[in-house]
Amino acid sequence: MTDALRTPDRNFADLPGWPYAPRYFERPDGLRLHYVDEGPREAARTWLCLHGQPTWSYLYRRMIPVFVGAGARVIAPDFLGFGRSDKPRNDAVYTFDFHRDTLLGLIESLGLRNIALAVQDWGGLIGLTLPMSAAERYPSVLIMNTALGTGDAPLGEGFLAWRAFSNRNPDMDIAKLERRRRH
C-alpha cells in the first residue's frame, strides 16, 4: 500500500445523523476509499454524491435519507484524503487524475448506471468530467456551488479567497469551520 494514514473507525462513532456502516473500495495500490451505499441495489436511479473541501460524505447526511425515501440508491464516497478514506502522506499523489481515476474505478466496481450526479465545490470540478467517460450512465446532474473548470476563464474571486484561506491554514479546524457555517 502507498504510505498513508488510516483514520480508525472509532473516530467516527456516534456522529449525529450518521447511522451508515462503512464500506470500502480498494484501489490497485491498496488505498481504501470509503463510501456510503444506501437504498435498493435495483433502484431506477442512483445518486452519486461528491463532496468538496474541507468536508466528506457527511455533507450529504440530510440528503441521503430523502433520496433513499424516494426509492433511490445513494453512493457517497469520501475522496482520498478526507473522512474515512485513506490519506496518502505524499502530497504529490493528490492530482486531478488520481481522484478522477479512483471515482471511475468505484463506479465500475459497483456497476453503477442511471446515475444522478450530485456535486458540490471541487467535487464538481472532478465529478462533472465523469460523464465524458460514459455519458449514457448519467441522465441527470445536480450542481451545487461549483463549476466545470475549462481553463478558459479566470478563477473567481470567491475561489481565490478560499484557496488563500486554505493555504494559510494547512491544519484547518474543520469542526470550528463547520460550526461557523451553521450560523
Side-chain angles (χ1 to χ4, degrees), residues 127-146:
L128 289 172
T129 70
L130 297 175
M132 295 182 329
S133 68
E136 70 282 357
R137 290 185 187 209
Y138 301 87
S140 55
V141 179
L142 172 61
I143 300 172
M144 303 172 288
N145 187 33
T146 193

